[in-house]
Amino acid sequence: MNATAITPDTTGHRDVRENTLAITGWGVVTSLAIGAEEFTTAIGEGRSGLRDVTGMFDEELPEHEAFAMPDFKVRDHLGRKGTSFFDRSTSLGLLGCTLALDDTDLTVTDDNRDRFGIVLGTTAGSIKATSDYSRETLEGDKPFRVNPVLFPNTVMNCAAGQSAIWLGLKGVNATVAGGRLAGLSALRYARNQIRRGYADALLVGSAEEFSPHTAWFSHRQHAAEEGRVKVGEGSAVFVVENAEEVRAQGRTPDAEVLAVEVGTYGAPGREPDAGAGLADCIGRALRRAAVEPSQVRAVATGESGIARLDDIERRGIESALGAEVWRVRASEWVGECQSASGSLQLAALLAGHRGHPELDGAVSVVTSVSPDGGVGAAVLRGWHRARGDHRG
Amino acid sequence: MNRRVVITGLGPVSSIGTGVTAFGRALRAGTSGISAISSFDSSGFPHYMAGEVPDFDPKALLRTLSTSEWGRTSLFAAAAARLAVEDAGIDEKVLAGAAAGSSIGTTSGESQVIEALTAEWVHSGLDRITPAYAAQVPASRLATAVNQELGLTGEAVTLSTACSASNYALGYAYDQIVTGDADYMIAGGADSVCRWAHAGFYRLGALTEKVCSPFDKDRSGILTGEGGAALFLESLESATERGAHIYAEVLGYGLNCDANHMVAPDPVSIAACMRRAHHNAGIAPADVDYICAHGTGTPANDAMEAQAVVEVFGTRPPPISSIKSMLGHTMGAASGFGAIASALALDEGFLPPTTNYRTPDPELPAIDPVPNESRPAQPKVVQNNGFAFGGNNAITILGRVA
């Protein structure tokens, strides 16, 4: 049985239910599967995306296995033309965007491209592209002999900017550097753009690449954590529109994002306690969504075996939703994907709905916790896909 | 809820001055913040000037954060935020107990941290990198630093839309207060001078040698710069109630994307962004009294920006000056400094100059760049331009509170 206690609303947010966001299509790129259909099947079968990554890079890696895609080449999916200079984060983000557009019944036309935009989350862009660029300036006696063509790959909005060019989307184009909160922060940013009427449709998601850098950064920080989930990479992108308008058009969304709430507390072990903060966020999100804690069927967590972070998440969830609520641990299938993790957690919930009409209307929650004290929660209500593809 | 939003605190940490008084004085005087690079070894580079903040002393400015745990850019953001809150004169406990957060823009986040890690990679190997540096890489820490310095438990969002990021941040903060999601927001941006950006702009042919001279016929590019810019935002009602000094009102903003080229600006798209910002702010072009330019000083940017201005405002546009002539290009902080300069222009009654201006560009006949000396004026509405790699255009509109 779920606990019904909600921590009091201490931040003064008003109890209003605003127009919610509809998700009308989605795309994922992971070592587990590429594309919403394939991802749904793979999750249903309980498969793992863990791969042998030996020899994936020139540099030695700390571990032989990761949730990475050693054979992934963007040109295999999008062609050779125009893709040769893309860094890996850009490739993952752009492919996620194209797959999401393939999966929706909304089409990009000259009539809507000015109000159709992109919001992508990241940790720090392509860390490998940036570090490689930085490295060029440290080697040899001509530190300025860097490749100007690769310079845009060092800015964090490269994936969103290149995706806009590729897809011809001239609306709001934003990059949210949210780290482990990136998926939820991107959704929150998108919600604001749509409710304020600045955009009609947005591709919203987040991407994280696997590289020797990300592998070693993680290893050097967390190697002592015994239950740690191995590092991964991937992207998940959602087509997001105003739910009211989608329904008025007689279309059925895959899900409605009813609320996204975030907060900033102390890093693990410091005040104010992020576990209590997460409980507060979940409670606030449920009130905004006009949903009782007992109605929450599942929580897709970001848990990845780093004890001090998982502890915050567990305490937040138990306090707001009780100890019995079903937890979906997406990282077991797709790995610890940092900024992509929140979006992949959401995708895992959508995969659960996609082929299961009996779950129509069920409410679930996504939670995220960052090592710096950031926490967040989203509430969504999902439906199955009547057809495998909106376009039938 | 549809509240009016005002700016009641300014926090610049810049090469021309730290704190609103010093910054404002330097802005009026046309002071140069450009010096020889000291934050990295620039030997081997043909060009070696930048707008660094060599006297940045985070320990003297910050009260909460342990400075050793944070990268330089996060410290810029937190220090600027601290100054903005002090300038706003709001009780710190009231603020920490309220629905308050931050949105901070950046281009390269903790670039100096990534450079330090890269140096360790080159000299010792990735297996020897310092774990504490790895923990400082996420750019999300910029806004987190602001919230933790001030004890804010609300949202902390870092928007990394390159060189227009502060305008994105200001727009987002404005929306949070308009809608009632937050009662107080700190908006701004931060970036640090770094070696790779210096090299990259040099190789793009966009880096000038010693002097940045926007809109000049002989302009030859940018100088990179750094710093932190923060603005304190609250509702008009809240500011009036507590008797706060109001610098300016945020009237609105506009965002769009060129979707055309990663680095080349698109005047048609920039003009569309201006119209979008005007529409959102409920103003007409004729209402704008001054434009704080993106004005990087590259031949292409200034020509395209001028073309878009003429497209929207006609052949007699309002004065348009570039404070990058003094600060250099502070990247993700640039439009934050632009917003601070715009707020001061509205509040104190002057137009900041474009310094280093010698020769009018016959290709830009409509442009009045407020050459070399600040000008007394009483602007009522100011437009603050921000453009970026990725075609990320962002324009904010500020006004004097009527």
Side-chain angles (χ1 to χ4, degrees):
Chain A
M1 199 188 125
N2 290 326
T4 48
I6 300 180
T7 47
D9 190 350
T10 53
T11 54
H13 286 257
R14 281 150 194 85
D15 187 11
V16 285
R17 188 178 180 193
E18 295 175 338
N19 290 348
T20 57
L21 294 181
I23 294 174
T24 61
W26 51 287
V28 290
V29 184
T30 64
S31 62
L32 178 68
I34 292 176
E37 280 302 314
E38 294 75 4
F39 186 74
T40 299
T41 305
I43 293 244
E45 292 170 357
R47 299 205 301 253
S48 163
L50 195 61
R51 301 283 176 266
D52 184 346
V53 292
T54 317
M56 189 172 165
F57 300 98
D58 294 338
E59 292 84 4
E60 196 188 337
L61 294 169
E63 293 172 293
H64 296 302
E65 289 184 314
F67 291 84
M69 297 172 277
D71 302 321
F72 175 80
K73 291 187 181 63
V74 70
R75 65 168 185 256
D76 296 342
H77 302 272
L78 300 175
R80 199 174 288 270
K81 189 167 180 288
T83 59
S84 56
F85 292 109
F86 287 172
D87 62 68
R88 199 169 178 88
S89 288
T90 297
S91 299
L92 295 172
L94 169 57
L95 182 56
C97 286
T98 63
L99 292 169
L101 278 180
D102 289 345
D103 191 56
T104 182
D105 54 353
L106 182 68
T107 46
V108 179
T109 67
D110 284 342
D111 291 332
N112 69 9
R113 69 176 73 252
D114 284 343
R115 294 181 54 81
F116 201 143
I118 299 175
V119 183
L120 288 182
T122 183
T123 299
S126 175
I127 292 168
K128 181 176 191 302
T130 305
S131 187
D132 285 351
Y133 210 79
S134 175
R135 184 177 180 125
E136 292 282 305
T137 73
L138 295 174
E139 294 180 329
D141 57 349
K142 298 265 195 297
F144 51 86
R145 289 216 171 273
V146 289
N147 185 347
V149 174
L150 296 180
F151 188 39
N153 296 4
T154 70
V155 289
M156 283 182 256
N157 63 340
C158 187
Q162 291 284 16
S163 297
I165 294 169
W166 190 270
L167 300 167
L169 298 181
K170 297 172 75 74
V172 172
N173 188 276
T175 303
V176 183
R180 286 174 62 117
L181 246 58
L184 295 185
S185 288
L187 270 179
R188 226 181 118 75
Y189 189 87
R191 157 186 169 269
N192 179 64
Q193 290 293 318
I194 286 182
R195 73 174 169 165
R196 295 284 287 144
Y198 304 148
D200 292 331
L202 293 163
L203 289 164
V204 184
S206 49
E208 190 78 64
E209 66 185 18
F210 177 74
S211 71
H213 305 72
T214 59
W216 280 109
F217 287 4
S218 173
H219 186 80
R220 292 286 289 163
Q221 289 183 77
H222 307 302
E225 298 279 347
E226 284 184 7
R228 183 172 63 108
V229 174
K230 288 185 173 22
V231 179
E233 66 178 344
S235 69
V237 179
F238 310 91
V239 181
V240 163
E241 304 172 63
N242 184 313
E244 222 167 73
E245 283 168 27
V246 168
R247 294 206 178 280
Q249 293 159 7
R251 299 159 60 208
T252 308
D254 296 323
E256 273 186 56
V257 181
L258 305 175
V260 190
E261 292 295 315
V262 295
T264 314
Y265 302 90
R270 293 188 186 178
E271 290 297 318
D273 173 46
L278 177 59
D280 203 49
C281 269
I282 297 170
R284 214 160 63 217
L286 290 178
R287 279 193 298 281
R288 265 202 190 247
V291 164
E292 292 297 320
S294 60
Q295 293 173 280
V296 175
R297 181 181 162 272
V299 182
T301 67
E303 291 167 285
S304 59
I306 296 168
R308 62 183 185 277
L309 296 180
D310 290 359
D311 175 62
I312 289 168
E313 204 162 11
R314 181 187 54 74
R315 287 190 292 111
I317 290 166
E318 287 185 2
S319 169
L321 299 169
E324 304 299 317
V325 65
W326 181 41
R327 282 192 261 169
V328 177
R329 295 181 180 87
S331 66
E332 290 176 5
W333 303 308
V334 298
E336 163 54 270
C337 293
Q338 298 291 338
S339 61
S341 57
S343 301
L344 289 166
Q345 290 158 235
L346 176 53
L349 291 173
L350 295 184
H353 277 286
R354 199 166 170 103
H356 293 277
E358 71 278 14
L359 298 181
D360 279 359
V363 173
S364 36
V365 169
V366 176
T367 52
S368 293
V369 171
S370 95
D372 302 311
V375 297
V379 180
L380 81 152
R381 194 187 288 281
W383 290 273
H384 79 289
R385 267 290 170 90
R387 293 154 291 168
D389 182 348
H390 270 309
R391 287 169 185 160
Chain B
M1 188 165 288
N2 201 350
R3 305 193 289 190
R4 291 172 69 179
V5 179
V6 294
I7 297 164
T8 55
L10 301 175
V13 178
S14 83
S15 60
I16 62 168
T18 290
V20 64
T21 308
F23 181 83
R25 196 187 305 127
L27 197 65
R28 271 177 186 265
T31 307
S32 170
I34 305 304
S35 56
I37 290 169
S38 64
S39 65
F40 63 86
D41 177 8
S42 64
S43 60
F45 285 101
H47 297 180
Y48 53 85
M49 303 296 277
E52 291 179 334
V53 191
D55 61 352
F56 177 47
D57 184 1
K59 278 201 175 77
L61 296 167
L62 297 171
R63 287 192 228 144
T64 314
L65 295 185
S66 167
T67 53
S68 62
E69 293 178 9
W70 300 84
R72 182 175 179 85
T73 312
S74 294
L75 294 172
F76 272 136
R82 171 60 78 185
L83 288 170
V85 167
E86 283 171 2
D87 186 44
I90 190 167
D91 184 276
E92 202 178 325
K93 286 202 178 68
V94 169
L95 181 61
S102 66
S103 57
I104 300 297
T106 192
T107 293
S108 303
E110 288 298 2
S111 48
Q112 293 194 357
V113 170
I114 291 174
E115 288 196 318
L117 285 161
T118 302
E120 291 186 333
W121 174 29
V122 171
H123 298 121
S124 322
L126 278 169
D127 56 330
R128 303 290 294 281
I129 56 120
T130 305
Y133 290 166
Q136 290 175 12
V137 165
S140 52
R141 286 170 58 89
L142 274 54
T144 302
V146 170
N147 275 35
Q148 290 183 349
E149 168 64 20
L150 298 166
L152 313 183
T153 56
E155 179 168 23
V157 64
T158 302
L159 294 162
S160 51
T161 49
C163 298
S164 57
S166 280
N167 265 348
Y168 274 76
L170 182 53
Y172 185 74
Y174 153 82
D175 282 334
Q176 296 309 296
I177 293 172
V178 167
T179 57
D181 266 18
D183 290 327
Y184 307 100
M185 286 291 288
I186 288 140
D191 260 301
S192 302
V193 158
C194 74
R195 195 177 161 91
W196 93 65
H198 185 76
F201 280 113
Y202 178 80
R203 283 294 272 179
L204 273 186
L207 195 70
T208 191
E209 190 178 357
K210 288 194 167 141
V211 175
C212 174
S213 48
F215 301 116
D216 189 284
K217 174 174 169 287
D218 300 317
R219 65 187 180 274
S220 54
I222 72 160
L223 291 167
T224 63
E226 67 179 4
L231 301 97
F232 186 79
L233 272 59
E234 62 191 306
S235 69
L236 174 61
E237 190 185 14
S238 156
T240 308
E241 253 172 41
R242 67 181 190 89
H245 175 73
I246 297 172
Y247 288 96
E249 178 171 5
V250 184
L251 299 177
Y253 72 108
L255 309 177
N256 76 349
C257 183
D258 296 349
N260 178 30
H261 193 280
M262 278 303 281
V263 298
D266 175 347
V268 175
S269 180
I270 289 170
C273 188
M274 289 181 192
R275 293 194 176 103
R276 199 174 270 211
H278 295 169
H279 176 77
N280 177 238
I283 62 159
D287 296 326
V288 176
D289 301 310
Y290 163 67
I291 301 171
C292 192
H294 186 60
T296 59
T298 65
N301 174 84
D302 296 0
M304 297 301 115
E305 187 169 9
Q307 193 180 324
V309 162
V310 169
E311 162 75 22
V312 172
F313 292 89
T315 51
R316 300 284 302 277
I320 171 171
S321 68
S322 170
I323 61 172
K324 290 185 179 73
S325 57
M326 297 173 256
L327 292 163
H329 192 341
T330 55
M331 306 288 147
S335 49
F337 284 122
I340 291 175
S342 298
L344 287 172
L346 289 161
D347 184 51
E348 297 182 359
F350 73 102
L351 307 184
T354 302
T355 59
N356 312 316
Y357 186 84
R358 289 204 178 81
T359 314
D361 185 346
E363 302 289 314
L364 313 176
I367 296 304
D368 166 9
V370 194
N372 300 319
E373 284 178 21
S374 58
R375 183 184 300 168
Q378 298 296 325
K380 290 192 183 68
V381 174
V382 170
Q383 170 178 324
N384 180 37
N385 287 352
F387 314 129
F389 276 11
N392 285 186
N393 305 313
I395 295 172
T396 49
I397 309 287
L398 309 185
R400 201 186 301 166
V401 173

